[in-house]
Amino acid sequence: MHISDGVLPISVTVGGYAASAAIAAWSARRTRSEELPKVAVVTAAFFVASLIHVPFGPTSVHLLIPGLAGALLGPSAFLAIGLGLLLQSMLFQFGGLTALGANALMMGVPALLCGVFFQRFKGRTRRRQAIIGGLAGALGTALAALVLALLLATGGEDFFGVAKIALAAHVPVVVIEGLVSAFTIGFLAKVKPALLEPAFVQSEKAAHA
Amino acid sequence: MPEVMLVALPAWQFAALLLAPLAILAAAAAGLRRLVRRRGAQHEDKDWSVPPLADAAGTTLFHRWDIRCKLLTLIAYSFLVASLSRVAPALAAVAVSILALVLARSSWARVLMRLLAITGFLAMFLVVMPLTAPAHPGDTVLVIGGVDWIGFNLRGLTKALAIVAKATAIALLMEPLLTTAPLPVTLHGLTKLGAPDMAGQMVLLSHRYLHVFRHEAERMAAGMRVRGFRKRTDLETLRAVANFLGMLFVRSFERTERVFDAMRARGYRGRFPAPAELRMEKADLALSFAWLAIGAALVVYDRLSG
């Protein structure tokens, strides 16, 4: 779920922009500068991945993948997610332009946390990487839903009901996202384990290994 | 009025007065979505899922407006609109946006797509807020068919309507803002306004490779369908989707390396050539001032009418 224009109090939208600009600047500094164009191209892949719908009973949910982005991109994930959200807003109106800062915080901060979580606990075996990847995926979505509810709740008590509904709507997404993330990380561990090292930040040697 | 005003309504009246318009709106949105989708299926080359973000060169006011003035003005104006809190000024903002659409000769099909994209999120507010907004002194609450544990708070409804109107007003402005100049020129304007040069480059690259990876994903999906894969609600579907995602990432990371090598081989040193000469004239500034004056007037109207 992306927040559209006109929902949040103006102070929260402006504050969201300021905070996400600061984190994006940090994220860009943690990424080696000549690799920034690569981050842009990878962002396109995550963008496409987030358009994939998974059936859920009579309806379907689309993947949010903040957890996977964090696990695969490390500190660059915030930059990638901000960029992806800007494009989604410009192309599809998913998320308003004035709410872009708040939306970037909602998806980007969980991605950073999931990245740290995954890199810290991933271990060496494929099984363990898949399980930790799945937990990171579920955690990313759960945190994003929590931030969404908190942002909505800044509007005052009239918004509490909407915040609760939005939170509840994410419960099935958390489960699906966790399972898909676990399978995806398991697949990558089998097919191309190098991708599970955080991209764009490691030494020259590892990048071309 | 110190008291909460309770108005008892029989269930059928409530349905007729409030739920029927909502249901009609929902049905209209669903119908339009079907229509747009079917149209998209007929014309294979016109794919609105990733619109090109630049119309053929036009000569309207918006096409001629200096990009820096246009960006600064319309973004600042959007924030002014987002700060409104009442329904009437927000509806006035919608009217201004429609005027802008007419002036910019925007494509109505794309405008419609943008509106459809926000209907789901906004419908949640329209449905949930009246039912959950706590009753304050002075509120009017409709009690439906004698069920007193849930009430339909009219203050919640007005608040939700204001949100819907604001979101619509700003979403309608996106077409005149973004499609009246080619994307590289818009991004060039943003960097001239102080955004980092690299940010603009990254948007351009992402936008370009989005199409490439979408085609890649479609090819892979076609392959899966041919082999008999159908999406269901089960673990196997999730596993297949996950493998699909994993393969998409493997291919795109590899492609990313090749793209970057190709860029460097062609002399990329961290910047792209400037796409256009920007020229700002008095008319551009005058239009900006006029537009912002409208925004300021809306804010004043919003504050005074309270």
Side-chain angles (χ1 to χ4, degrees):
Chain A
M1 243 181 242
H2 304 291
I3 302 173
S4 65
D5 295 298
V7 172
L8 299 175
I10 200 76
S11 53
V12 177
T13 57
V14 174
Y17 260 103
S20 55
I23 303 179
W26 171 84
S27 177
R29 248 208 334 271
R30 285 297 306 274
T31 311
R32 291 189 300 131
S33 59
E34 67 270 24
E35 307 261 339
L36 284 170
K38 286 192 200 172
V39 176
V41 181
V42 168
T43 299
F46 280 96
F47 186 107
V48 171
S50 75
L51 297 178
I52 293 173
H53 281 249
V54 177
F56 175 69
T59 163
S60 71
V61 298
H62 78 94
L63 299 171
L64 301 173
I65 59 169
L68 272 179
L72 297 184
L73 299 180
S76 313
F78 193 88
L79 209 54
I81 283 173
L83 191 59
L85 287 172
L86 173 65
L87 278 168
Q88 290 207 333
S89 173
M90 284 167 65
L91 294 172
F92 305 134
Q93 204 65 38
F94 292 164
L97 199 59
T98 59
L100 179 64
N103 279 324
L105 287 184
M106 169 176 112
M107 299 295 250
V109 172
L112 291 179
L113 295 178
C114 288
V116 173
F117 171 77
F118 180 74
Q119 292 304 334
R120 210 183 152 83
F121 295 106
K122 70 180 176 188
R124 299 204 159 270
T125 62
R126 233 171 62 198
R127 196 188 164 79
R128 177 168 169 159
Q129 284 176 344
I131 291 172
I132 296 296
L135 286 177
L139 182 74
T141 311
L143 286 176
L146 206 64
V147 177
L148 170 68
L150 286 178
L151 284 171
L152 287 176
T154 58
E157 57 177 353
D158 293 339
F159 286 81
F160 289 177
V162 178
K164 278 183 213 152
I165 299 264
L167 202 56
H170 276 84
V171 170
V173 188
V174 169
V175 176
I176 290 177
E177 187 97 20
L179 288 170
V180 170
S181 302
F183 289 138
T184 304
I185 295 285
F187 177 87
L188 289 176
K190 202 168 7 175
V191 175
K192 203 167 162 75
L195 284 190
L196 299 182
E197 306 301 323
F200 310 129
V201 278
Q202 73 273 51
S203 66
E204 197 69 41
K205 206 177 81 198
H208 294 287
Chain B
M1 271 190 290
E3 284 287 298
V4 175
M5 205 160 89
L6 288 178
V7 180
L9 268 186
W12 68 268
Q13 268 185 8
F14 173 76
L17 282 178
L18 290 162
L19 292 185
L22 271 181
I24 291 169
L25 267 181
L32 280 174
R33 201 176 295 226
R34 281 265 295 280
L35 194 76
V36 170
R37 257 199 213 136
R38 202 174 316 146
R39 255 231 220 122
Q42 276 169 8
H43 307 284
E44 277 299 318
D45 51 340
K46 282 204 172 177
D47 180 8
W48 297 117
S49 65
V50 184
L53 262 191
D55 265 343
T59 51
T60 69
L61 198 56
F62 279 88
H63 288 87
R64 280 180 281 133
W65 200 355
D66 178 76
I67 188 70
R68 287 162 292 181
C69 291
K70 182 163 65 181
L71 282 167
L72 209 57
T73 307
L74 291 186
I75 291 175
Y77 174 82
S78 298
F79 274 98
L80 289 180
V81 171
S83 75
L84 301 176
S85 57
R86 289 168 197 291
V87 179
L91 285 178
V94 174
V96 172
S97 297
I98 292 176
L99 184 71
L101 284 179
V102 173
L103 283 179
R105 300 227 182 93
S106 297
S107 140
W108 291 103
R110 279 212 300 255
V111 171
L112 204 63
M113 284 297 294
R114 284 182 184 276
L115 289 184
L116 283 176
I118 55 175
T119 38
F121 188 73
L122 294 177
M124 181 176 82
F125 282 86
L126 269 184
V127 173
V128 176
M129 273 186 95
L131 296 177
T132 58
H136 287 310
D139 286 1
T140 309
V141 177
L142 303 185
V143 181
I144 309 137
V147 184
D148 57 0
W149 52 269
I150 193 164
F152 193 91
N153 193 334
L154 287 187
R155 191 176 53 85
L157 182 67
T158 18
K159 214 159 189 181
L161 280 177
I163 287 174
V164 171
K166 283 191 287 181
T168 310
I170 298 174
L172 289 180
L173 267 187
M174 289 300 120
E175 282 293 311
L177 172 66
L178 295 171
T179 62
T180 51
L183 183 61
V185 174
T186 304
L187 294 171
H188 184 55
L190 268 181
T191 50
K192 286 283 168 198
L193 285 174
D197 187 33
M198 184 47 82
Q201 284 186 33
M202 290 175 75
V203 175
L204 264 188
L205 276 172
S206 274
H207 181 250
R208 193 249 173 277
Y209 280 94
L210 221 121
H211 300 254
V212 174
F213 292 143
R214 194 171 51 88
H215 283 262
E216 181 107 31
E218 274 169 14
R219 245 193 347 265
M220 284 160 61
M224 287 166 79
R225 272 200 305 278
V226 165
R227 285 164 181 78
F229 172 69
R230 296 288 177 272
K231 282 184 179 176
R232 280 188 215 94
T233 308
D234 59 11
L235 212 56
E236 272 316 300
T237 302
L238 292 186
R239 191 195 299 275
V241 168
N243 290 350
F244 174 90
L245 278 185
M247 204 60 225
L248 185 69
F249 289 146
V250 169
R251 289 189 184 185
S252 49
F253 270 81
E254 285 171 354
R255 183 162 212 149
T256 301
E257 296 292 331
R258 295 203 300 275
V259 168
F260 191 53
D261 288 347
M263 279 166 63
R264 272 205 295 223
R266 284 162 181 76
Y268 174 75
R269 292 282 179 278
R271 49 189 330 119
F272 292 150
E277 282 277 322
L278 300 183
R279 224 176 285 136
M280 199 186 322
E281 283 163 24
K282 278 185 188 139
D284 294 313
L285 286 173
L287 186 53
S288 293
F289 278 119
W291 203 278
L292 287 175
I294 296 175
L298 284 173
V299 172
V300 169
Y301 174 33
D302 186 60
R303 296 290 178 269
L304 287 185
S305 65

